[in-house]
Amino acid sequence: MVQLKTTNDTPLTNDNKQQGSNATITLIISALYISAFAICGTLFRVLIGTLFGSYCEDPTQNAIKNLFDYSNNSFNGKAKSALFVDLPANMVGSLLMGMLQSGLVLGLANSNNVPIAWLPIGHRFQGMDAIHLAFRTGFCGSITTFSSWNTQMVTLLTGSSQGAAQAIFGYIIGLELALASYTIGKHIAILGHRYLNPLHAREADIMVNNNSSTMTPEHAHHFVYHRDLPDFERHYLTNVFYKEEAEQLKEDIPILMEELEKWKKSTEDHRNLSNNVRGDLSNIERCLPVEEDEPNDLMLNVAQQAGWDVDALRRYVHGKNSSNECKDGSTLVDDKSYRSEFSSSSPVVDVDHAVFAAVVLLVTCGLLLSSALLTEGREYTSQNYQVFCISGLFAMPGALMRWRLSKLNGKLQGKYQWVPVGTFIANVTASLISISVTVVLDKFSSDLPYWGVISLVAVKTGLAGSLSTVSSFVAEVDQLLKSFPVHVW
């Protein structure tokens, strides 16, 4: 059975004959997951828009109108208020995008290689890179839409004498609320990370709290300097474990902990960053626990002169590799085992999953199409339901085009390399499609056949709505704000 990882197109084998095949399968798997999640995201956006706006045009929905009609948008998407119909969807999608960020994006110095920061580090979902991509690009990207937002603001500009002021307010509040939602999502992820990964939270507190009674400035430098150390070893060597926890570990795995304790005691006087052999100590700890390689002669000579018990560290690493289990049968959790779970050599998605995803996707598309075609009546409710179903079908090509266009981000040369050109092209293209459809519907809807109108609205809602994105846009803006004021414009 062929198995592969799906975060990128890097094949899992060095065999040149296998590379093209693996890259193609990876691309197909990613496309299947993104398509499926794009359908869900688009349908969710339409439901939110229906709840907060579209049904408000139906005179039979007075209760909903009284509760939720803050936007007052018409069926053809001509906005009458700066509070546009997709504002709640943009906020929800941006919030979820913030929650799905990695430790690196959130600035978690001691957990920067965690794909989903708020989950436990050892959680199996951490290794499902294809699902991470589908959630961010497919689901969050399709819940949010830039094209619909922009179209409704443009119609405000041309709709009345007060339209310009309303449109400016709509752009401002749309961007502010999306950024605020994304920021809240990031903070929720950080809180979740701290709650579910208490040792990492304790380590982070030690790193930033220079006035803590358990902290010296040397400790803070030490954590950053030894970021590559496996979690377990780093926490034990730098006293992140409470005394009771350390004693319990010595009871659970006495032989291993005895060797690690010997190494700790022999090196603790040289862990100050100002010590001139501090770099050699870091290199030895990188060679043995991380790379599982033998230190070179220069490192060993420094260790001998400093009195470091390298043999104890060797015995610890050998013993841990021979049996990485505690006395009660639980496994020692460390970065090494964590990284091996998500490394390129670790299969996380296979062809069977791809076949299953393809079957589910085909069944879903069939159900949406048949539901749209079999819906009787052409009243307002039936129209909305048919648009709902057809929009889900158009969401797939929109999300896939945006995903491929995102590969262009960072491709500009020189001082403009920071520009997310792929996202920009996607949003501009989708906005042009959306405004064009709106103009056609406004001018010629009475001359178009019934299914022509339904299809055009679905193109605007599904294709353009999924091709454009606010969640990725605000994530990129958030990153650019970190370099403020260099890229302020």
Side-chain angles (χ1 to χ4, degrees):
M1 182 181 295
V2 180
Q3 293 180 316
L4 59 147
K5 186 184 178 185
T6 60
T7 47
N8 50 51
D9 294 344
T10 303
L12 303 181
T13 174
N14 292 325
D15 185 5
N16 292 332
K17 295 181 180 180
Q18 203 72 25
Q19 289 184 358
S21 175
N22 284 346
T24 301
I25 296 174
T26 300
L27 193 67
I28 292 173
I29 291 174
S30 300
L32 288 171
Y33 278 113
I34 289 173
S35 298
F37 279 75
I39 292 176
C40 297
T42 298
L43 297 184
F44 186 68
R45 167 163 47 86
V46 174
L47 285 174
I48 294 178
T50 300
L51 179 65
F52 283 89
S54 298
Y55 262 128
C56 300
E57 295 295 314
D58 186 352
T60 66
Q61 301 293 331
N62 292 328
I64 296 179
K65 180 173 183 177
N66 292 335
L67 287 174
F68 300 116
D69 189 10
Y70 73 93
S71 56
N72 196 24
N73 287 279
S74 72
F75 179 72
N76 287 338
K78 296 182 67 176
K80 301 175 184 177
S81 169
L83 299 176
F84 53 97
V85 69
D86 289 313
L87 178 61
N90 285 352
M91 293 172 63
V92 172
S94 299
L95 177 75
L96 293 176
M97 179 67 87
M99 293 176 61
L100 291 170
Q101 294 306 309
S102 66
L104 178 62
V105 172
L106 297 179
L108 303 176
N110 58 339
S111 305
N112 63 350
N113 56 354
V114 182
I116 304 295
W118 63 269
L119 285 175
I121 287 181
H123 197 281
R124 62 178 300 178
F125 186 72
Q126 296 283 14
M128 300 180 182
D129 298 318
I131 307 299
H132 303 166
L133 177 65
F135 259 116
R136 294 178 183 130
T137 302
F139 190 67
C140 295
S142 296
I143 288 179
T144 62
T145 174
F146 182 87
S147 61
S148 177
W149 171 22
N150 183 70
T151 297
Q152 292 172 70
M153 296 305 100
V154 171
T155 57
L156 275 177
L157 286 172
T158 59
S160 67
S161 58
Q162 300 177 347
Q166 290 180 320
I168 292 173
F169 177 72
Y171 279 120
I172 292 175
I173 196 171
L175 179 60
E176 283 185 347
L177 290 178
L179 274 172
S181 299
Y182 178 77
T183 302
I184 292 172
K186 290 200 305 177
H187 283 82
I188 292 174
I190 293 173
L191 290 175
H193 173 80
R194 291 179 60 85
Y195 179 76
L196 296 173
N197 301 281
L199 284 176
H200 285 74
R202 196 181 305 165
E203 182 182 14
D205 291 341
I206 292 175
M207 290 173 65
V208 300
N209 188 8
N210 290 324
N211 297 321
S212 172
S213 59
T214 62
M215 169 70 183
T216 64
E218 293 79 28
H219 281 109
H221 294 301
H222 175 83
F223 287 125
V224 177
Y225 207 80
H226 273 249
R227 187 178 295 172
D228 291 334
L229 263 178
D231 281 353
F232 176 77
E233 285 82 355
R234 188 177 73 249
H235 291 161
Y236 185 80
L237 293 173
T238 52
N239 298 316
V240 173
F241 287 111
Y242 288 134
K243 183 178 179 180
E244 296 78 9
E245 294 171 328
E247 293 299 324
Q248 184 63 45
L249 285 169
K250 292 177 183 178
E251 293 181 9
D252 291 339
I253 42 177
I255 297 177
L256 283 179
M257 295 308 301
E258 181 181 358
E259 301 299 340
L260 188 60
E261 181 67 19
K262 289 178 181 178
W263 170 253
K264 177 182 177 181
K265 288 183 176 180
S266 69
T267 59
E268 59 186 358
D269 293 334
H270 300 93
R271 293 189 179 276
N272 191 314
L273 189 62
S274 61
N275 196 296
N276 58 1
V277 295
R278 180 66 172 73
D280 296 287
L281 175 59
S282 177
N283 290 333
I284 290 175
E285 291 182 333
R286 183 176 295 108
C287 282
L288 285 169
V290 179
E291 300 173 356
E292 298 181 10
D293 194 11
E294 184 66 18
N296 59 39
D297 292 339
L298 180 60
M299 296 180 197
L300 294 175
N301 288 335
V302 173
Q304 184 178 10
Q305 295 174 13
W308 300 338
D309 194 346
V310 179
D311 288 335
L313 186 60
R314 284 197 192 97
R315 291 191 294 269
Y316 168 78
V317 173
H318 176 73
K320 188 182 74 168
N321 292 340
S322 299
S323 177
N324 194 30
E325 292 190 352
C326 300
K327 190 175 181 180
D328 61 358
S330 61
T331 302
L332 283 175
V333 178
D334 57 34
D335 265 347
K336 179 180 176 297
S337 62
Y338 161 77
R339 279 196 296 264
S340 67
E341 184 180 353
F342 311 122
S343 66
S344 61
S345 62
S346 176
V348 296
V349 177
D350 57 40
V351 173
D352 288 344
H353 293 151
V355 173
F356 174 76
V359 171
V360 172
L361 189 62
L362 287 174
V363 171
T364 302
C365 292
L367 289 174
L368 289 173
L369 182 60
S370 59
S371 297
L373 295 177
L374 296 176
T375 300
E376 296 181 357
R378 298 190 176 186
E379 66 277 5
Y380 185 84
T381 302
S382 298
Q383 289 179 342
N384 266 350
Y385 184 71
Q386 290 163 339
V387 168
F388 174 80
C389 295
I390 302 300
S391 295
L393 298 177
F394 280 112
M396 295 184 293
L400 291 175
M401 285 190 288
R402 171 165 47 80
W403 170 47
R404 301 312 294 174
L405 284 170
S406 68
K407 304 294 183 181
L408 298 177
N409 291 342
K411 295 297 185 181
L412 294 181
Q413 301 299 317
K415 64 180 182 178
Y416 297 110
Q417 187 176 10
W418 59 272
V419 177
V421 62
T423 303
F424 176 79
I425 293 174
N427 281 343
V428 170
T429 303
S431 296
L432 291 174
I433 294 173
S434 180
I435 194 66
S436 299
V437 170
T438 300
V439 171
V440 170
L441 290 172
D442 186 50
K443 300 294 184 182
F444 308 107
S445 60
S446 60
D447 300 326
L448 293 173
Y450 176 79
W451 280 105
V453 174
I454 295 297
S455 298
L456 283 176
V457 176
V459 166
K460 175 177 176 290
T461 304
L463 179 65
S466 294
L467 176 58
S468 66
T469 177
V470 172
S471 58
S472 296
F473 171 70
V474 295
E476 289 156 0
V477 170
D478 181 76
Q479 290 299 307
L480 293 176
L481 287 175
K482 294 178 180 179
S483 62
F484 181 88
V486 178
H487 301 141
V488 63
W489 58 278

